[in-house]
């Protein structure tokens, strides 16, 4: 028969244990059992004074960040709201049913206090766990990057000159807090030296004090990626960053970029990954750079950091044509690492004239032979851009029947050859080997699915924070979470799903790449 309406007893007090309400085989129970986060207290100890009001426990803060990652949440406010209502989240954080969770503003202030270096050390600790579990092979590295939209609109972009003039006016007529900001800062000294992490531990070790001496400037890749308006970055090839002319008032570190599939330009960044060639696909390094920084420019910084930080003995470095620069190839080959890098396609460029590949170089005579069999002899050298210039005889070129397809000038066809062309020829010879072809097929299913996982399940289609340090904090947490998922599989969680998405890549993405399939985000 039809039962009576259910009476509501939501205001009845009940004696219940939170530990009994969470199932024994729940995901967060396994996470708490295998991952000890007490090491983060050593990471953040130098960020707090000896006295004062106690802060939020940093272990709780990083647990909240992991909940945000695994649940696919996009804001601290939504994180606190979800964790307040979820019994397993409260159990994992250690909060009772009647105990209020931290305010979302506390999490934002704590993130600013810790800084990007603490989050990078947290990421590295997760990599250490993966290395201790035998998930890092360390024989080959895969380099790649993906475009991520910034939390800023294109309408906020203005000419940089206007911004510089506006800042100059504000400096001339400071008001309120701007006056204090415009005051010249004293040069830094070693009265309170900046800490650096001690090798092999999470503890911070201060630098030796040198009274009265200015602090030496450390090499910071983030600052190197950030544009200096007084000295815009221009590469040796003449490439000038778009940020030298245009800047966003909302997010000055973001740069204009075009989507991979075409469409209108947006503001964004490039998220770089260096992925180990082992089956676990552990991310060994992650960095977010402005979108107008050339993709292959920071490759060598990634390489040396990964090589010496994780003490891996590399045999191969794999990347697409954006990494196949002469500088990268030289450094890899001189270090005894095979540069499995794609080279720019000189056969199919959008030019009506013969490409460089149509000319044959004669090493014995140090000259080029054109498609019609005429020589182009060396006439000059450019030490700044590191190439030799070769030119054909103007009289011969002007009388050539295919001159219209070769050169528009009347001074003879010119071609260039790099000082280090022998390195490029060596890499080009790799392209015919089976090992190179296998590495390039492997690259398609090793790195790109990681980007697809981050975008589809963990909110990396668009950054929620603004500014280069903050978006790096966000990118490092996503990369650390992805590594943590692989590590959890190795600690006994198996192929069961995490709260947001599978712990491992789908089986289709793990099949051998012999069919030429490429997983796209």
């Amino acid at each position: 028969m039809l039962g009576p309406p259910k009476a509501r007893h939501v205001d009845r007090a009940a004696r219940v244990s939170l530990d009994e309400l969470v199932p024994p085989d729940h995901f967060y129970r396994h996470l708490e059992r295998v991952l000890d986060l007490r090491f983060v207290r050593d990471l953040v100890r130098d960020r707090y004074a000896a006295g004062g009001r106690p802060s939020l426990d940093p272990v709780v803060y990083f647990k909240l960040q992991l909940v945000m990652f695994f649940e696919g949440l996009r804001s601290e406010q939504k994180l606190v709201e979800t964790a307040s209502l979820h019994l397993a989240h409260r159990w994992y954080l250690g909060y009772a049913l009647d105990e209020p969770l931290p305010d979302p503003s506390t999490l934002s202030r704590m993130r600013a206090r810790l800084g990007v270096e603490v989050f990078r050390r947290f990421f590295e600790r997760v990599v250490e766990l993966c290395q201790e579990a035998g998930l890092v092979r360390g024989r080959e590295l895969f380099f790649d990057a993906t475009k991520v939209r910034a939390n800023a609109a294109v309408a906020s972009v203005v000419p940089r000159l206007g911004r510089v003039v506006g800042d100059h006016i504000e400096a001339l007529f400071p008001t309120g807090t701007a006056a204090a900001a415009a005051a010249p800062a004293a040069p830094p000294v070693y009265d309170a030296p900046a800490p650096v992490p001690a090798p092999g531990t999470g503890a911070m070790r201060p630098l030796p004090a040198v009274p009265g001496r200015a602090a030496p400037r450390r090499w910071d890749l983030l600052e190197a990626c950030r544009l200096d308006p007084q000295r815009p970055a221009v590469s040796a090839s003449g490439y000038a960053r778009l940020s030298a002319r245009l800047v966003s008032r909302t997010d000055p570190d973001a740069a204009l970029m075009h989507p991979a599939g075409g469409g209108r330009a947006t503001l964004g960044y490039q998220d770089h990954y260096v992925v180990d060639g082992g089956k676990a696909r552990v991310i060994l390094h992650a960095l977010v750079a402005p979108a107008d920084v050339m993709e292959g420019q920071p490759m060598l910084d990634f390489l040396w950091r990964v090589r010496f930080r994780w003490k891996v003995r590399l045999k191969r470095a794999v990347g697409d044509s954006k990494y196949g620069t002469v500088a990268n190839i030289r450094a890899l080959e001189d270090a005894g690492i095979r540069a499995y890098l794609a080279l720019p396609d000189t056969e199919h460029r959008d030019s009506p004239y013969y490409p460089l590949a149509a000319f044959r170089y004669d090493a014995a005579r140090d000259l080029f032979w054109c498609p019609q069999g005429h020589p182009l002899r060396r006439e000059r050298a450019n030490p700044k851009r590191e190439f030799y210039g070769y030119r054909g005889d103007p009289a011969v070129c002007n009388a050539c029947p295919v001159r219209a397809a070769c050169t528009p000038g009347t001074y003879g066809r010119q071609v260039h050859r790099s000082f280090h062309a022998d390195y490029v020829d060596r890499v080009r010879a790799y392209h015919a080997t089976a090992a190179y072809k296998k590495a390039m097929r492997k690259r398609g299913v090793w790195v790109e699915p990681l980007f697809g996982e981050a975008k589809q399940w963990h909110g990396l289609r668009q950054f929620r924070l603004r500014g280069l340090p903050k978006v790096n904090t966000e990118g490092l947490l996503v990369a650390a979470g992805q590594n943590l998922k692989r590590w959890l599989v190795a600690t006994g969680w198996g192929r069961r799903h995490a709260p947001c998405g599978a712990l491992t890549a789908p089986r289709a993405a793990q099949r051998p790449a012999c069919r030429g399939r490429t997983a796209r985000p």
Side-chain angles (χ1 to χ4, degrees):
M1 68 177 183
L2 180 64
K6 173 69 175 69
R8 293 177 60 83
H9 300 292
V10 295
D11 57 346
R12 179 186 301 173
R15 295 178 58 85
V16 62
S17 171
L18 185 60
D19 191 66
E20 295 177 355
L21 295 176
V22 180
D25 60 345
H26 196 273
F27 171 77
Y28 286 104
R29 281 191 181 272
H30 178 76
L31 185 62
E32 174 70 12
R33 183 166 54 252
V34 299
L35 180 62
D36 186 1
L37 289 177
R38 287 178 294 180
F39 69 91
V40 301
R41 298 186 64 87
D42 293 330
L43 297 183
V44 305
R45 196 176 302 278
D46 69 296
R47 299 300 198 270
Y48 295 93
R53 193 173 70 176
S55 70
L56 172 67
D57 186 356
V59 175
V60 173
Y61 174 79
F62 276 93
K63 283 185 176 182
L64 281 167
Q65 298 304 311
L66 292 181
V67 170
M68 176 183 285
F69 170 81
F70 285 116
E71 300 294 338
L73 303 176
R74 293 283 297 165
S75 69
E76 279 89 356
Q77 184 173 0
K78 188 65 175 178
L79 168 64
V80 174
E81 177 185 342
T82 303
S84 299
L85 301 175
H86 202 294
L87 296 178
H89 295 173
R90 281 187 170 273
W91 180 92
Y92 180 58
L93 298 173
Y95 280 73
L97 288 173
D98 57 349
E99 189 176 2
L101 264 65
D103 190 84
S105 61
T106 303
L107 304 183
S108 300
R109 290 194 299 269
M110 191 165 183
R111 182 185 63 243
R113 173 185 289 272
L114 298 183
V116 68
E117 287 304 322
V118 171
F119 290 91
R120 179 164 297 282
R121 187 65 189 91
F122 177 80
F123 165 80
E124 291 178 348
R125 176 55 186 157
V126 176
V127 178
E128 289 173 359
L129 293 175
C130 295
Q131 196 171 37
E132 293 168 3
L135 302 181
V136 178
R137 185 182 179 189
R139 293 295 180 266
E140 59 183 349
L141 296 180
F142 293 86
F143 296 81
D144 206 352
T146 187
K147 295 179 179 178
V148 183
R149 295 193 305 270
N151 187 12
V154 178
S156 66
V157 176
V158 296
R160 185 172 286 275
L161 177 62
R163 179 177 174 84
V164 172
V165 171
D167 294 344
H168 178 63
I169 293 176
E170 291 179 3
L172 290 177
F173 305 99
T175 57
T177 57
V189 295
Y190 269 120
D191 295 336
V196 296
T201 67
M204 294 294 183
R205 182 185 62 190
L207 291 174
V210 183
R213 181 180 298 179
R217 184 178 180 181
R218 293 189 182 90
W219 168 246
D220 189 346
L221 189 54
L222 284 187
E223 293 300 325
C225 292
R226 188 177 275 174
L227 185 70
D228 183 1
Q230 306 300 328
R231 187 177 57 187
V234 179
S235 66
S237 61
Y239 169 77
R241 291 175 58 180
L242 189 60
S243 299
R245 296 185 291 106
L246 301 173
V247 63
S248 168
R249 289 186 176 273
T250 306
D251 188 351
D253 291 329
L256 287 170
M257 66 180 187
H258 290 276
R264 299 180 60 182
T266 59
L267 285 168
Y269 294 88
Q270 283 194 119
D271 194 6
H272 296 258
Y273 276 5
V274 182
V275 182
D276 178 65
K279 291 183 178 180
R281 298 183 302 153
V282 176
I283 304 168
L284 298 181
H285 190 65
L287 181 90
V288 180
D292 60 349
V293 173
M294 290 188 294
E295 193 169 321
Q297 180 177 340
M299 178 184 182
L300 296 181
D301 292 279
F302 299 161
L303 177 72
W304 306 137
R305 182 178 182 91
V306 168
R307 187 181 182 187
F308 295 109
R309 176 64 180 84
W310 307 118
K311 298 179 176 61
V312 294
R313 297 182 179 181
L314 298 177
K315 294 183 178 179
R316 294 175 295 275
V318 186
D320 59 17
S321 60
K322 296 178 182 178
Y323 296 92
T325 63
V326 174
N328 291 343
I329 291 172
R330 283 184 59 202
L332 288 170
E333 293 293 326
D334 288 343
I337 304 170
R338 287 204 168 191
Y340 281 2
L341 306 176
L343 298 175
D345 186 5
T346 59
E347 288 284 354
H348 304 91
R349 290 186 174 177
D350 296 333
S351 174
Y353 307 110
Y354 288 143
L356 177 61
F359 295 81
R360 180 175 59 87
Y361 179 67
D362 188 341
R365 301 184 181 182
D366 190 21
L367 53 82
F368 279 90
W369 294 100
C370 76
Q372 297 296 313
H374 301 297
L376 284 75
R377 305 184 186 279
R378 191 171 82 182
E379 66 166 7
R380 65 190 179 97
N382 189 328
K384 182 178 180 180
R385 300 183 62 179
E386 297 186 336
F387 68 78
Y388 298 109
Y390 296 78
R391 185 192 296 272
D393 187 353
V396 175
C397 290
N398 292 335
C400 182
V402 296
R403 173 180 170 273
C406 188
T407 177
T410 59
Y411 297 99
R413 173 61 190 262
Q414 298 183 62
V415 295
H416 297 154
R417 178 175 170 83
S418 170
F419 288 178
H420 315 288
D422 293 339
Y423 288 92
V424 179
D425 293 339
R426 188 188 309 173
V427 171
R428 186 172 284 110
Y430 295 155
H431 293 187
T433 63
Y436 172 83
K437 296 176 181 178
K438 178 181 178 181
M440 298 307 291
R441 291 196 303 267
K442 185 177 177 180
R443 172 187 167 274
V445 294
W446 232 246
V447 189
E448 293 183 7
L450 291 175
F451 291 138
E453 173 191 340
K455 291 182 177 182
Q456 181 176 355
W457 293 337
H458 304 298
L460 205 63
R461 294 188 184 276
Q462 177 176 335
F463 287 115
R464 60 185 180 87
L465 304 177
R466 295 169 179 168
L468 197 58
K470 292 183 179 179
V471 297
N472 269 276
T473 295
E474 192 173 347
L476 284 169
L477 284 173
V478 172
Q482 289 182 276
N483 284 342
L484 193 58
K485 289 164 73 173
R486 275 79 190 162
W487 180 75
L488 287 173
V489 173
T491 58
W493 184 247
R495 295 191 58 84
R496 287 172 288 173
H497 289 262
C500 180
L503 280 177
T504 55
R507 292 184 182 273
Q510 293 184 347
R511 294 173 184 169
C514 57
R515 298 181 182 178
R517 295 180 180 177
T518 302
R520 296 288 181 184

